[in-house]
Amino acid sequence: MHLPHQRGPLHDLPDTPEAYDAVLADVTEQALARMTPEGNLEHPDCVDDIGDTSLGLTSLLALAWQRNKDPRLPEAVRGSLAFHLSERVYTEDNPGYPNLRVRDSGLPYARYTLAAGAHPIGDWPSTVWALLQAVNVLDAADGLVDEGQRAELLEVAHGYWRWLTEATFYNPQEAGNQAIGCVVGGLMLARHLPPAEGESVRREALRLYEEKIRAHRVADRGALLPPEHGGAYDNNYGPISLSFLAQAHRVSGEEIFAEDGDALARYIDARLTGGGFDNGGPRYSEQHSAFESVLGLRYFSRRIGSDLGRYRGDSRWARHAVKPDGGIDGHFAFMLVWQIQDTTSWHRTPSTAPARHQLRAGSVSVAFDDRMTPSLVEAAGTYYLPAAVNRQHGFGPVTDGFLMCRPMGEVRVRDLRADGLTAKLVTKPVVGRDHVLRHLQSLYVTDGTRLWMTVAVQRLPRTPYLLAGLPYAADDGDRVRRTAEAEVTSAGSLRLTHPSSDTVDHFDARADTTQEQAAFALAADPRGYGNPDEGWRHLVSSTALEAEPAPGAPENLHVFAVRYGEDGGFTPSFAREGDDLTVRTEAFTAVIGAAAGGPYGEPELALRA
């Protein structure tokens, strides 16, 4: 079974002017064939996310006309714009909408669904989207739309802005992508208003960003991030926020958007495997965006000097939103407009700078969480998640049912490159059930095709085993598929175990259930509203690789040695030389310094091929 949303890397999509003209030509033909006598461009099956969709297609037709002057388009643009202005602009409060600050304001807004009171909670983001589609039409209006229509659209767009910022609470869904999108809408709208009015809107947009978004950023893995549905990052919406930050910087030139975009981009770069797989988020665990992410990933890949375009998008939305039948939908059309307008080229090579929360070389990568425990391991085309035992998740020694990976003090990290090898040494203090503080030293070494993980911990009363990951997915090139198989070798005996229970809180990698489905089943709220990250934390046990201690370890240590990415013989040796631990494998010799570190407590590591 393939994961439905994790498909090809986004930088594989052609982004030449000719390729974009072909996309717009397809949009044009679909739109003209679909357009009703009233000017409606909505997909016939569109029910939700509907308030901005016809206007979104109008903006794409306007952009196409700018580029090719197709004589069929002016009439289509004017007719479809008239439809939106007459049929999709609402000024009476939607019954049941819970986020109004001013009742009966008379200000225009866009509905998530058309029926009064049917699903009003989505009206705020739908109005943000409608504002963005409107300002894109205004940008292309010269010579295409008469002055009367242009003035009416500008009045409606200004009304959308006022409804979003005056009549309602700001960002009621705590969704960073929506909130930054609203700021972008204000910045773009300001350019079309009279100077004094425009400057007022611009200042308000910048104030909202500073006070409502930036001041509430959430920390994760050393980065401050725009919160997404109450969490730090969502692998669907995070790259969309990055696109909004790119557009905000393009439109305003304000350095704050570039700085925050750089921080988010480096964070994405660190958590993303080399193969482009990622999972986790407070709204979706495995659903990836596609064309909506291209602008931000491309723009900031160039700024930070790393290959963010390896991010796997959902190729079914490779160019624009579509319905199940493949027909175009105007939702998110503004992102395609900006993507076409931006001429930034992809940066296609990895960053060479060490990143605290990532180890990456060749086809091997390890992403680390806030505790410097692996959150995702990639080797030989297989992706490993943290395994679960007794509701504890991670990679690390287990004794008496207790997983020792949560730090009880400062975690120290040392990065090193030598002789074609890339290594990271993580030293963390941990406590077991006996309440004794021990130092856990984890060494990760890769030659770009294999990953060696060596874990050493001071002797425990009972012999532990190493929880070494949950094999979850494999790379098929253009697709990511589910797997429960692992190409892993251990110096001690190794077993792949599966839960004995088939209840929802025990995850068996051999089943068809995806991580996202299991996470939502464990979340407190329905799918699409619950927090899958929070749900997944309720997992009791999972499929797991379990390794016994390696033979020949010094008597005062338990040492585990695991190699990901190659079957066959694996006989590392270990020696204690004073406080140092020497590890010898078929590929390298590493000397791990004392757990106490050097003069300033920093981990000491020597490595040679």
Side-chain angles (χ1 to χ4, degrees):
M1 183 182 73
H2 287 91
L3 300 177
H5 302 285
Q6 306 250 5
R7 299 182 180 227
L10 289 182
H11 62 199
D12 286 353
L13 292 171
D15 60 354
T16 63
E18 294 76 16
Y20 285 133
D21 283 337
V23 172
L24 290 174
D26 174 56
V27 170
T28 295
E29 297 308 320
Q30 284 198 54
L32 293 178
R34 177 188 299 169
M35 190 172 183
T36 68
E38 298 78 23
N40 187 354
L41 293 173
E42 294 160 3
H43 189 282
D45 295 337
C46 191
V47 175
D48 53 22
D49 281 325
I50 195 171
D52 69 294
T53 60
S54 184
L55 188 60
L57 283 180
T58 302
S59 72
L60 290 173
L61 296 181
L63 178 63
W65 181 81
Q66 276 191 326
R67 293 168 70 92
N68 62 30
K69 294 299 186 287
D70 184 331
R72 300 174 297 171
L73 293 180
E75 182 180 355
V77 168
R78 293 166 194 154
S80 59
L81 179 54
F83 170 80
H84 179 82
L85 292 172
S86 65
E87 301 297 329
R88 293 295 178 260
V89 178
Y90 291 83
T91 56
E92 294 183 357
D93 293 351
N94 199 349
Y97 185 69
N99 300 313
L100 290 177
R101 297 171 59 203
V102 179
R103 294 186 58 194
D104 302 320
S105 68
L107 292 170
Y109 66 95
R111 285 187 177 176
Y112 176 73
T113 59
L114 299 183
H119 199 333
I121 195 68
D123 290 354
W124 203 86
S126 289
T127 304
V128 174
W129 273 213
L131 170 61
L132 294 169
Q133 318 282 25
V135 292
N136 279 338
V137 174
L138 288 169
D139 283 352
D142 289 348
L144 184 60
V145 174
D146 64 47
E147 187 54 37
Q149 254 195 338
R150 181 192 173 281
E152 186 178 358
L153 178 60
L154 179 58
E155 182 180 3
V156 166
H158 195 188
Y160 285 156
W161 169 255
R162 291 188 59 201
W163 187 85
L164 290 164
T165 60
E166 298 174 21
T168 70
F169 288 96
Y170 193 79
N171 190 20
Q173 294 185 18
E174 297 183 357
N177 76 99
Q178 299 171 9
I180 305 171
C182 183
V183 168
V184 172
L187 294 172
M188 296 182 71
L189 171 68
R191 303 184 301 182
H192 294 281
L193 295 169
E197 206 169 10
E199 182 57 27
S200 175
V201 169
R202 177 187 168 87
R203 285 198 309 269
E204 178 66 1
L206 294 174
R207 183 194 70 80
L208 287 168
Y209 183 76
E210 284 272 14
E211 297 180 9
K212 298 293 187 179
I213 302 168
R214 199 167 199 260
H216 298 278
R217 288 177 298 171
V218 179
D220 186 44
R221 307 185 197 194
L224 289 174
L225 309 169
E228 191 60 59
H229 289 282
Y233 178 80
D234 184 278
N235 69 6
N236 176 50
Y237 290 111
I240 294 174
S241 284
L242 193 66
S243 287
F244 280 128
L245 288 168
Q247 181 67 2
H249 187 239
R250 293 180 66 234
V251 171
S252 71
E254 293 287 341
E255 223 19 59
I256 191 173
F257 299 118
E259 292 170 3
D260 291 356
D262 287 348
L264 176 55
R266 290 190 181 98
Y267 172 86
I268 293 173
D269 191 34
R271 69 174 287 145
L272 197 62
T273 60
F277 175 77
D278 188 19
N279 80 302
R283 183 70 184 270
Y284 295 107
S285 290
E286 293 177 340
Q287 179 169 316
H288 270 200
S289 51
F291 77 96
E292 319 99 290
S293 299
V294 167
L295 173 66
L297 293 170
R298 190 173 64 191
Y299 191 83
F300 285 101
S301 75
R302 180 61 50 187
R303 282 187 56 91
I304 71 168
S306 195
D307 57 338
L308 294 176
R310 69 188 189 276
Y311 176 96
R312 288 181 177 271
D314 189 337
S315 58
R316 295 170 298 183
W317 279 38
R319 295 300 193 181
H320 44 66
V322 295
K323 291 299 184 184
D325 66 359
I328 187 172
D329 185 292
H331 192 52
F332 268 111
F334 50 85
M335 286 292 194
L336 179 57
V337 171
W338 303 339
Q339 181 192 139
I340 292 172
Q341 291 171 338
D342 179 58
T343 58
T344 304
S345 59
W346 287 108
H347 183 96
R348 294 181 177 271
T349 55
S351 171
T352 58
R356 177 179 173 88
H357 293 91
Q358 185 192 61
L359 173 73
R360 182 183 174 202
S363 61
V364 172
S365 55
V366 184
F368 295 87
D369 63 18
D370 245 354
R371 307 175 302 183
M372 287 306 299
T373 298
S375 61
L376 193 56
V377 171
E378 171 192 23
T382 300
Y383 301 106
Y384 302 85
L385 302 178
V389 56
N390 293 340
R391 289 190 173 86
Q392 304 157 90
H393 300 194
F395 289 71
V398 179
T399 181
D400 295 328
F402 188 83
L403 173 60
M404 301 175 71
C405 69
R406 289 172 299 282
M408 295 294 289
E410 189 66 26
V411 180
R412 301 178 189 268
V413 178
R414 172 73 185 276
D415 287 281
L416 186 64
R417 286 190 174 93
D419 297 344
L421 301 168
T422 304
K424 187 184 294 285
L425 174 62
V426 178
T427 300
K428 65 173 73 171
V430 297
V431 173
R433 290 200 190 278
D434 59 5
H435 291 230
V436 175
L437 184 71
R438 293 176 173 85
H439 292 281
L440 186 69
Q441 292 178 293
S442 302
L443 174 64
Y444 307 85
V445 180
T446 179
D447 60 0
T449 60
R450 297 165 292 177
L451 172 69
W452 291 264
M453 181 171 70
T454 305
V455 178
V457 65
Q458 292 151 303
R459 281 274 172 174
L460 292 150
R462 296 187 183 182
T463 301
Y465 67 88
L466 182 75
L467 200 61
L470 154 63
Y472 176 69
D475 194 339
D476 278 355
D478 292 336
R479 299 289 297 276
V480 175
R481 62 175 171 80
R482 282 292 313 283
T483 188
E485 299 177 354
E487 195 174 355
V488 180
T489 306
S490 172
S493 62
L494 181 73
R495 55 189 176 267
L496 180 64
T497 65
H498 303 286
S500 56
S501 171
D502 59 0
T503 57
V504 68
D505 52 359
H506 297 266
F507 185 80
D508 191 329
R510 298 169 298 180
D512 288 339
T513 305
T514 66
Q515 186 272 343
E516 182 177 83
Q517 290 169 334
F520 271 123
L522 291 166
D525 297 303
R527 180 180 173 86
Y529 299 95
N531 182 336
D533 273 359
E534 185 178 273
W536 188 250
R537 285 194 288 270
H538 296 153
L539 192 70
V540 174
S541 68
S542 72
T543 291
L545 287 162
E546 299 175 354
E548 294 297 326
E555 63 179 15
N556 61 339
L557 292 177
H558 293 295
V559 179
F560 304 90
V562 175
R563 186 182 63 203
Y564 299 82
E566 184 180 275
D567 286 328
F570 180 45
T571 55
S573 64
F574 314 94
R576 206 51 149 157
E577 301 172 10
D579 290 329
D580 297 342
L581 174 66
T582 299
V583 180
R584 291 184 175 89
T585 74
E586 75 283 10
F588 65 87
T589 297
V591 180
I592 302 172
Y600 300 99
E602 297 307 312
E604 294 184 320
L605 175 66
L607 180 69
R608 66 178 185 271

